[in-house]
Structures are given as structure tokens and as C-alpha cells.
Amino acid sequence: MSSVSPALRYWDARAASILREFAELLAIPNVAADPDALERVAAWIREALTKRGIEAEVISLRGAPPVVVGRMEGQTQGPTIGIYAHYDGQPVAPERWASPPFSPTLRTGRLEERGDEIGFPADGDPVDPEWRIYARGSSDDRAPIAALLAALDAIPERSGNIVFLFEGEEEVGSPHLGDYLGHLKGRLAADIWLICDGPVHQSGRAQVALGVRGFAEIEIEVFGPPHDLHSGHYGETGLNPGVALAELIVSMRDADGRLLLEGLEGPEPSEAARIAADAVPDPENLGFAVNPHGSYAGRLLRPLLNVRGIASADVGATSRNVIPASATVSIDLRLVAGQDPVAMIEFVRDHVAAQGYHLVDEAPTAAERMDHRRIARVVGVAGYPGVRTSPDDPMVQRIVEAVDSVADESPILLPSFGGSVPLHHFVEHLDCPLVILPIANHDNNQHSADENIRVGNLRYGVEVFAALLGGI
Amino acid sequence: MSSVSPALRYWDARAASILREFAELLAIPNVAADPDALERVAAWIREALTKRGIEAEVISLRGAPPVVVGRMEGQTQGPTIGIYAHYDGQPVAPERWASPPFSPTLRTGRLEERGDEIGFPADGDPVDPEWRIYARGSSDDRAPIAALLAALDAIPERSGNIVFLFEGEEEVGSPHLGDYLGHLKGRLAADIWLICDGPVHQSGRAQVALGVRGFAEIEIEVFGPPHDLHSGHYGETGLNPGVALAELIVSMRDADGRLLLEGLEGPEPSEAARIAADAVPDPENLGFAVNPHGSYAGRLLRPLLNVRGIASADVGATSRNVIPASATVSIDLRLVAGQDPVAMIEFVRDHVAAQGYHLVDEAPTAAERMDHRRIARVVGVAGYPGVRTSPDDPMVQRIVEAVDSVADESPILLPSFGGSVPLHHFVEHLDCPLVILPIANHDNNQHSADENIRVGNLRYGVEVFAALLGGI
């Protein structure tokens, strides 16, 4: 940590007012169910940028919450950085919250560790980095917005070139993000985009992630007899769809658990990505024995075929002595950059057919049931492709250096997030690399009741953005 | 069919009154929910036997519906036959019935084929074998009782030695049958017991079955992470219990579907049983492609491990992108004679352990979760053993000859029923062979609404019992 940075000096002097202004933003509801409030959040952000001298505009496409776009022209001829955050939050169930989700509440620590509620500080009062602000969106994802505004105040000499984009429907899957980016591509051109969302590493270390995985989902239903059949009289006379489905699931992997589906294994990760992965510490204290093969970050460079659910007749108290009429597995696929979700679904379909299945789109006809012992329906929903940026990209290296200059420890360079977000829109419309730059604490109750931000993480955000505003 | 038998002559003369008396019995409700009515059914049966000169008694153990026991001493020194039927029926949902379940209704044919309701015939009216009587218990299992009573009337010279047992709680699993048999073993001694229950063959051919399979049930729960985990972030970091469960299910069989579990395969069937099985026609028109390996009856000579249900998280609209916290398979085991249900459950448990699982009785502790990647809970409920009588048994041969003497075609000798009924009590307490001798039509809606008996099958019952009452 550079303890003499202008950002930190500013924080030390003005932290109380930074928190109070953040609380003003957090008091405006930001859920999809209240579109008028989302408009007010967008207007508040535009106003906050404008009064700091940033050219900013609220832009609306029909039927979608608005985006706020802004531009800051620094004095250098250096690269342009895009900064993205989303101002909408997950739905709230207020009865589950210790304090109302849109009444920002300051506590001396985590609720679970008996953090006491205190009033927001007055100017000049000391501010403890272990304090937490509880409110919906305090971490996910209004914290980067507050940090950025404070950084703009902290750095009068803004020599960087920055474009800003604040979205209002990330939590419902960003259905209009592609449209907005297509519409605004001229104004949003940049050399790299920073997706400011998510938490830092579990250990508290700063983190930069170099992509996300894509997504597709698949259900495979194996058909047994036309209706549940008495297992005593007919056991093994017809196909047991549960056993057949188990065989199908097993057929997808080798003994080491590696995917066997032709074409699904994906491109080999680059040497640089593998080196980055090797440097990432494995998560600790997960509460279970972890996979002895490979590393956590190494797995994020591979596609994933996850069995997220199985159902066939009943278990437990309602189980009956039947050959079930069907068995279904629900699968989510996490795809690496370069894999096409539609093609991936076809690979799975082809694999099922190659195991001897007659594939149907509807329930099989009586004739199909007589003609084919193995019948399955494969239904896929193509999501979107993944995104990956090379750690060797010079823009990435500049961003990492900026983060490193303010972080307590060297940042973790995660070669990809494991989850899926439709960031491919940035790559497709804006044709530039992107990285994910989170600032929130890991234990922030994101998406749950009692969402919070640790004040020290907000301070980290102010420092990071100040470093970027100064030009990289 | 011997068209000149005394039984048939009696039927031709008195069929109308046989049907009317049967209707009187069927009008008394016979469901477990109405224990008083069960008492009235038992009293009715005792009275019907007594007035035909059969020594009969209603006997009650505390907390159980009564049994009716009877004895007929013939004039020969020949063997004693035991005849068992149950007078209770499955629960009824009257709103699903075309006519009230305890208002016996005569129709000119199957409801589904527009059988018209007609009044019960007067003495001397012709009686069509294709008519059907609709009522709960008309087939399962009061038809043998009605047929037996008519046979007693038809054969004045009753030279056979018969003991009778009519039970009142078969449809709830015969929880007191063992107690009754133990209590009454002196009075129920016989050379063979005939379990008069179930339907004849699908084709309409007479059928004698030489046993039943035993029963046990098992649930195996494989534990994943302590709670559902985000599949994007943690996919393949912990064990996916659905995939592990699929491997476990597959590990139980070889590529031909034969059980691999050490000790579970059961004793080889006898040569005689195999020959009997080979002579049994496979069921037809099941509506699906049947197992190309082996024959229907051949499978009944083997134990069955049936996957009757699987559950892990959710599929369909409620599926979520998680590594599920657990996956469960529910299994019913059908055991052949000679297999001990408790030992069979242990074989399954040992098999799971041999696949590398740490077995727990409760949810695993935090320490167990850290120490063991594969953790499972195996919970078994031992049912009861199977029963099998040799087709070579001389008593069996005499019974089959008696059936053959009245049947249209030679009877099918099913080496075992596929289903499970606790008939082992007869073997254990009475130490004699048993066979199952059904008389009802196959399409009798047994256990459903609109249960019925085809009048021609009732007539077949009268002829069979008459042949037995005459001595074998």
C-alpha cells in the first residue's frame, strides 16, 4: 500500500462525507420490480458525475432500464479505459434483513460478529476500515460507483482517458446490454474495459480476473415404460430409465473424471493462462475434501459439465415399487472462450445418440416405444460464449500494475471467473480486451439479505480508481 | 375342459343364485378403514361355511382383523390341502367408480367396451361367462371364497381333506399372518397350501405359480458439499454426488445388466425350475421394446435390484446451477428363496464401501467431510424372504393335474411370481410346500376403481375347487 497517495490522503480527510454520500445513493431502491426507482438511481449517478465535471448522459432503450454513460478526457494521449458497473441489485425480502435494505445502516463490524449499529460519522470523525455499510447494492454493485465518485474528487489532475457505463439490469441477465453496446459503440470505444463487479479473493487479497465462462443448459430425459410399471412383475423386462441414465452420465467422463464428449473438451489454455492459474491459491476452508486432481484455477480454464439435478420417480417416504416411466438429468455447461454454446449442445446430443439412443423431440409414439429400447429427449438452451483475455496483453499488464500500486499484497490474477456473465457483448461490440476488477469483500452477503460492504474495501476502490484516473 | 363335470352341471343349473349370493358378500364393505365391516365379512363367511356343513370359526388376535378357519374331513386317507384367500380389499375412492364399490353391479361386458348394466339374473335365467360383476373385492380376493362356496354345494361327495384360512389384512401387508399361523399351526397342518389370489395369465390361460420373491428396500444417499454450491465457481472442486451416484449404480451391474454385487446373485435355479420357466410364454403387447436377454419367467428365478427412484436437487423449471448437496437412489430388492433380506442389505452396504465410500449413519460431521471425499449413507429395510416350491414336488403335480382336468388349456406353471408377498410365514410355521392358484381375469382392475370379475373366471374357480374337494 502506498501510504502517501493523494487518494489515501483524501480518504483520511473526507471518509465521513464519502460514506454519507454513498448512503444517499443506497437509500434509493434499485430493484427490477421498481423501474421508477431505477430511473432515479440513474439520474442520481448522472448528476453526481456532472457535478464533478464529467460529461454524462442517461440513455434509455424502450422497455429497458436506462444506462448512464460518461466520458472523461484526460490530458494525455494515453490509452482509454472503460469502466463498467451496474446500479441495479438483487430483489429483496425485507423481512429477512436485520435493517431495511434501503435504509443504509453502518455497523462496527459484521452482523454475525455482533457489529453494533452506529450513526454515520460527521466530518472529521475517525472512520474504521472494519466498519460495514448494510444495504442492498452496497457491494453488488454500487460500491464501485461510490468509489469512483470519491476518486474523482480525490484526484484533481485527471490525466487518464476514461469512458463510463453503468447498467441497470445486470441482475436479470443483462437482456439489453448487447443492444446498448451496439447502439453506443462509437462513444464507448476503449483500449480495455474494466468490469467492476464481484468480490476480491476470499483471503482479502486484491484480484483481477481475465474472463468469464460461457453458459448452456441441457436436459436429457430417458424414457422407460409408458407408465410406471410394477417392479416385481416387470423388473428388467423393460429398460429401467434410472439405470440407463446413470450409464449415460458415466459415459461422459473417463475414470479420472475428464470429459469424454467428442468436441467438448475445448481449446488448450495458453501457457500464460496456465502460469497465471498456477499462481492462484486454492480456496481454503470449503468444508469438504477437495478434488485431488488439478487446481482450482486450473479447472476454471476448462469447460465444465455439471450435473445440477436428477429426477426419476420418487425416493424416501413416497417411493413406490416401480420401474419409473422416465429419468431426467439437468446439466449446466460452463464454456471456455472459443466454444459455441449451440455446437456444445449438439456435441452432447451426438454423444447420447452414439450411446445407442433413439432421439425424440416429443414423448415417443407407441411405434417408437416398440422399435427402440433406448429412447431419449435432449433439450438444450444455448446461453452465450465465454470471454478470456490474455495475461500477456499489454493493457492487462498496465491495469495490474495500477492495482498492484495500491494493494496491500500483489493482486491475484485469476485466469477466468468460474461463473458465467454475458460479457461477450463487450468483446463483440467494442472489440477490445476486458478484465474483471472487483473491490467488494468476499463475505458481503451478495444476493442475500444483509448485503454489506466493508469500509476498507470501499477505500481500496477509491485508491484503485484514483490510480486509473491518473492515467496508466 | 371336462364338459360333463358335476361342477359344470351345477353351474349351468344354479349360476344365477351363485351370482346373487356372491353379490350379498360383496355388498359388505371390506376395507381396513372399516374394521367393523371386516368383522361382518368374517362372520358372513363363517356362516356360509357352517350352513354347508363345514366346521368353521372366527378367530381374533388383539388389534388385528379376524381370520376364518375351517376344516373339511373327507372320506379318504389322502393328503390335506390348505386353501387360503383374503377377504379384505384395497381402499376405495368411490368418486372414481362407475358404480358404488359396495353396490355389486352386473354388466354384460367390460365397462371400457360398453358393457351394459343389467339386473342380477333370476333362477333359471341364462348366465353369460362374459358378464362381469363390478365391486371392490370381486376379484381380489373374494372371488375364490364365492367359488369355493359354490363348489361345496356342487359336490355332495366331498372326499378331499381341506383346511381353510381366510385372512382380513392382506392388503395392508399381512402384519399378523405370522402370528395367526403360529397360533393355529396345529389346526392348519396340510400337505400343501394353495394361495388363491391374483389373476390368471394375460392370455386367459389357467396359471399355477410356484412361489414368490422376497423383498427388501434400500436407500443410498451420496453426500456432496454441506449445502448446494455455485457450480460456476466450484464445479468439480467438490464431489458431484449425482455423478458419484451414477457411478455407484453402474458399478452394480456388468455390461449385460447382470448384478455384480458379491453374494447378491442368489442360488442357481433348479433344472426343473428352468424347464418350467422355458415353457412360460413371454407377456405380449407390453407397449415397449422388451429386454432382449433372457425370458420373462427366467428373470423371475433371479433376484432383482430395481432402481425405483433417484433424486438430486432439481430438474426442469426449478433447476439451479449448483453442485447438489446430495443424491439419493431408492432401490427395491426382489429376493429368491434362500436369500436372507438382512444379509442382502449388508451385501449392498459392503459393495458401496468397496467403491471407496466412507459410510455414515447420520449426516456426516464437519470432520468426516474434510477427511473423506466419498461419503454415503445406506439405509436398508429388510422385508422378508422369498418362497419357491419345486415343480417336481408330488403334491404340486397333483394340484396341477386337478387344475388341468378343468382348464380349457394346460395351465401355465409359473416358476415364481415376480412380486412379493409374505408367504414365507406358511413355509416357516406350517412346514409344507405352497403354490399360488389364481382364478381372476387379468384385466380385473385389481387395486383400482371398477374392480371386476369375469363370470367365466368365477365358473373356472368353481370347477377347480370342485376338483379339489373331490380329493386329489
Side-chain angles (χ1 to χ4, degrees):
Chain A
M1 189 199 312
S2 159
S3 60
V4 294
S5 73
L8 208 55
R9 279 200 303 275
Y10 182 80
W11 174 272
D12 287 342
R14 305 297 305 275
S17 77
I18 294 171
L19 300 194
R20 291 201 310 273
E21 188 185 20
F22 189 19
E24 195 182 303
L25 170 59
L26 294 175
I28 314 175
N30 70 336
V31 292
D34 190 349
D36 291 346
L38 288 176
E39 301 263 358
R40 293 201 301 278
V41 178
W44 189 98
I45 295 170
R46 190 200 65 81
E47 175 66 24
L49 288 168
T50 303
K51 76 183 179 197
R52 285 165 173 91
I54 305 295
E55 192 187 310
E57 196 178 346
V58 172
I59 295 172
S60 288
L61 290 179
R62 185 189 299 269
V67 295
V68 183
V69 293
R71 170 169 289 274
M72 182 186 96
E73 304 277 0
Q75 292 159 0
T76 71
Q77 295 303 306
T80 298
I81 300 170
I83 292 180
Y84 162 96
H86 65 89
Y87 64 78
D88 65 313
Q90 282 272 315
V92 290
E95 68 281 6
R96 298 195 193 149
W97 287 64
S99 48
F102 300 114
S103 296
T105 302
L106 189 63
R107 297 181 197 275
T108 57
R110 290 185 70 208
L111 250 180
E112 296 82 348
E113 289 156 8
R114 305 199 185 168
D116 292 326
E117 181 177 340
I118 51 174
F120 276 82
D123 288 345
D125 285 353
V127 168
D128 186 332
E130 297 306 328
W131 288 355
R132 305 231 174 179
I133 303 173
Y134 281 79
R136 173 56 85 224
S138 56
S139 262
D140 179 22
D141 187 34
R142 298 198 270 195
I145 300 169
L148 183 65
L149 295 174
L152 285 166
D153 290 332
I155 307 290
E157 285 188 46
R158 303 165 190 161
S159 50
N161 299 312
I162 315 270
V163 289
F164 306 100
L165 175 69
F166 302 111
E167 185 197 1
E169 55 178 359
E170 196 270 350
E171 296 294 2
V172 295
S174 300
H176 298 87
L177 179 59
D179 291 344
Y180 274 120
L181 292 179
H183 183 66
L184 298 168
K185 63 199 295 182
R187 297 169 66 169
L188 298 177
D191 296 288
I192 189 165
W193 269 88
L194 309 186
I195 310 301
C196 300
D197 198 0
V200 301
H201 191 258
Q202 183 197 20
S203 63
R205 273 175 71 183
Q207 181 161 271
V208 175
L210 299 177
V212 289
R213 291 197 284 193
F215 188 73
E217 54 188 32
I218 296 174
E219 280 204 3
I220 305 171
E221 180 176 11
V222 173
F223 292 93
H227 48 85
D228 292 354
L229 268 192
H230 190 291
S231 59
H233 296 322
Y234 296 108
E236 293 189 354
T237 300
L239 184 78
N240 183 304
V243 174
L245 187 72
E247 291 169 349
L248 210 44
I249 291 169
V250 169
S251 73
M252 294 177 180
R253 291 157 207 279
D254 67 13
D256 293 330
R258 206 166 44 185
L259 282 180
L260 282 177
L261 281 68
E262 188 77 33
L264 206 66
E265 189 49 32
E268 276 297 306
S270 69
E271 178 71 14
R274 273 208 302 273
I275 290 171
D278 285 345
V280 176
D282 270 356
E284 288 176 5
N285 305 321
L286 286 174
F288 54 83
V290 300
N291 187 344
H293 302 292
S295 67
Y296 174 76
R299 279 189 284 276
L300 303 181
L301 295 174
R302 299 284 184 185
L304 171 72
L305 185 154
N306 179 61
V307 170
R308 64 182 178 177
I310 309 179
S312 183
D314 295 297
V315 304
T318 56
S319 60
R320 291 158 296 125
N321 296 322
V322 295
I323 307 173
S326 81
T328 301
V329 61
S330 185
I331 288 170
D332 57 305
L333 284 179
R334 306 287 177 161
L335 307 173
V336 297
Q339 291 188 306
D340 169 25
V342 173
M344 296 304 113
I345 290 169
E346 283 308 305
F347 284 134
V348 174
R349 188 190 303 275
D350 291 348
H351 177 82
V352 176
Q355 309 309 304
Y357 279 84
H358 173 71
L359 298 187
V360 293
D361 292 324
E362 304 289 330
T365 64
E368 284 173 320
R369 288 181 182 281
M370 293 305 295
D371 288 348
H372 303 280
R373 187 158 151 74
R374 293 181 183 270
I375 306 176
R377 172 164 52 189
V378 180
V379 178
V381 178
Y384 44 80
V387 170
R388 197 182 301 157
T389 300
S390 168
D392 291 339
D393 186 291
M395 286 306 301
V396 170
Q397 294 180 345
R398 291 203 204 184
I399 299 294
V400 172
E401 281 161 22
V403 173
D404 198 19
S405 73
V406 303
D408 292 330
E409 266 189 278
S410 65
I412 290 169
L413 206 56
L414 199 63
S416 174
F417 256 144
S420 306
V421 199
L423 299 184
H424 64 102
H425 291 305
F426 284 90
V427 177
E428 286 163 11
H429 290 288
L430 306 180
D431 191 27
C432 72
L434 64 78
V435 300
I436 300 152
L437 175 62
I439 71 167
N441 38 299
H442 182 266
D443 56 352
N444 64 0
N445 296 339
Q446 183 186 346
H447 292 203
S448 299
D450 299 326
E451 178 179 347
N452 65 85
I453 181 85
R454 182 178 159 271
V455 167
N457 282 70
L458 190 66
R459 184 183 64 188
Y460 161 69
V462 176
E463 292 184 82
V464 166
F465 288 124
L468 298 171
L469 295 176
I472 60 170
Chain B
M1 191 200 309
S2 159
S3 60
V4 294
S5 75
L8 207 55
R9 279 200 302 275
Y10 182 80
W11 174 271
D12 288 342
R14 304 297 306 275
S17 77
I18 295 172
L19 300 193
R20 292 201 310 271
E21 187 184 20
F22 189 17
E24 195 182 303
L25 171 58
L26 294 174
I28 314 175
N30 70 336
V31 293
D34 189 350
D36 291 347
L38 288 176
E39 301 263 359
R40 293 202 301 278
V41 178
W44 188 98
I45 295 169
R46 190 199 64 82
E47 175 67 22
L49 288 168
T50 303
K51 75 182 180 200
R52 286 165 172 92
I54 305 296
E55 191 187 309
E57 196 177 345
V58 172
I59 295 171
S60 289
L61 290 179
R62 186 189 298 269
V67 295
V68 183
V69 293
R71 169 168 291 274
M72 182 185 95
E73 304 277 1
Q75 291 159 4
T76 72
Q77 295 303 306
T80 298
I81 300 170
I83 293 180
Y84 162 96
H86 64 90
Y87 63 79
D88 64 314
Q90 282 272 315
V92 290
E95 68 281 6
R96 298 194 193 149
W97 287 63
S99 49
F102 299 113
S103 296
T105 302
L106 190 63
R107 296 181 198 276
T108 57
R110 290 184 71 207
L111 251 180
E112 296 81 348
E113 290 156 7
R114 305 201 183 165
D116 292 325
E117 181 175 341
I118 53 174
F120 276 82
D123 287 347
D125 286 353
V127 167
D128 186 332
E130 297 306 328
W131 288 355
R132 305 231 172 178
I133 303 173
Y134 282 79
R136 172 57 83 222
S138 55
S139 262
D140 178 23
D141 186 33
R142 298 198 270 195
I145 299 169
L148 183 65
L149 295 174
L152 285 166
D153 290 333
I155 306 291
E157 285 187 47
R158 303 166 190 161
S159 50
N161 300 312
I162 315 271
V163 290
F164 306 101
L165 175 69
F166 303 112
E167 185 197 1
E169 55 178 359
E170 196 270 351
E171 297 294 2
V172 295
S174 299
H176 298 88
L177 179 60
D179 291 344
Y180 275 119
L181 292 178
H183 183 66
L184 298 168
K185 64 198 295 181
R187 297 170 66 169
L188 297 177
D191 296 288
I192 189 165
W193 269 88
L194 309 186
I195 309 302
C196 301
D197 197 1
V200 300
H201 191 257
Q202 183 196 21
S203 63
R205 274 175 70 183
Q207 181 161 272
V208 174
L210 299 177
V212 290
R213 292 196 282 193
F215 187 75
E217 55 188 30
I218 296 174
E219 280 203 3
I220 306 172
E221 179 177 10
V222 173
F223 292 92
H227 49 85
D228 292 354
L229 268 192
H230 190 291
S231 58
H233 297 321
Y234 296 107
E236 293 188 356
T237 300
L239 183 78
N240 183 303
V243 173
L245 187 72
E247 291 169 349
L248 210 44
I249 292 169
V250 169
S251 74
M252 295 177 181
R253 291 156 206 279
D254 67 14
D256 293 330
R258 207 167 44 186
L259 282 181
L260 282 178
L261 281 67
E262 189 78 34
L264 206 64
E265 188 51 32
E268 275 299 306
S270 69
E271 179 71 10
R274 273 208 301 272
I275 291 170
D278 285 345
V280 177
D282 270 357
E284 289 175 3
N285 305 321
L286 285 174
F288 54 83
V290 300
N291 188 344
H293 303 292
S295 67
Y296 174 77
R299 278 188 285 277
L300 303 180
L301 294 174
R302 299 285 183 184
L304 170 72
L305 185 154
N306 179 62
V307 170
R308 65 182 178 178
I310 309 178
S312 183
D314 295 296
V315 305
T318 56
S319 60
R320 292 157 296 125
N321 296 323
V322 295
I323 306 173
S326 82
T328 301
V329 61
S330 186
I331 288 169
D332 57 305
L333 284 180
R334 307 287 177 162
L335 307 173
V336 297
Q339 292 188 305
D340 169 24
V342 173
M344 296 304 114
I345 290 169
E346 283 307 306
F347 284 133
V348 174
R349 188 190 303 275
D350 291 348
H351 177 82
V352 175
Q355 309 308 305
Y357 280 85
H358 173 70
L359 298 186
V360 293
D361 291 324
E362 304 289 331
T365 64
E368 284 173 319
R369 289 183 181 278
M370 293 305 294
D371 288 347
H372 304 279
R373 187 158 151 73
R374 293 181 184 271
I375 306 175
R377 172 165 51 189
V378 180
V379 178
V381 178
Y384 43 82
V387 170
R388 198 182 302 158
T389 301
S390 168
D392 291 339
D393 186 290
M395 285 306 301
V396 170
Q397 294 181 345
R398 291 203 205 186
I399 298 295
V400 171
E401 280 161 22
V403 172
D404 198 20
S405 72
V406 303
D408 291 330
E409 265 189 279
S410 64
I412 290 170
L413 207 56
L414 198 64
S416 175
F417 256 145
S420 305
V421 199
L423 299 185
H424 65 102
H425 291 305
F426 284 90
V427 177
E428 287 164 10
H429 290 289
L430 305 181
D431 192 26
C432 71
L434 63 80
V435 300
I436 299 150
L437 175 61
I439 71 166
N441 38 299
H442 182 265
D443 55 352
N444 64 0
N445 295 340
Q446 181 186 347
H447 291 204
S448 300
D450 298 326
E451 178 179 347
N452 65 85
I453 182 84
R454 183 178 158 271
V455 167
N457 282 70
L458 188 66
R459 183 183 63 188
Y460 161 71
V462 176
E463 291 184 81
V464 166
F465 287 122
L468 298 171
L469 295 175
I472 60 172

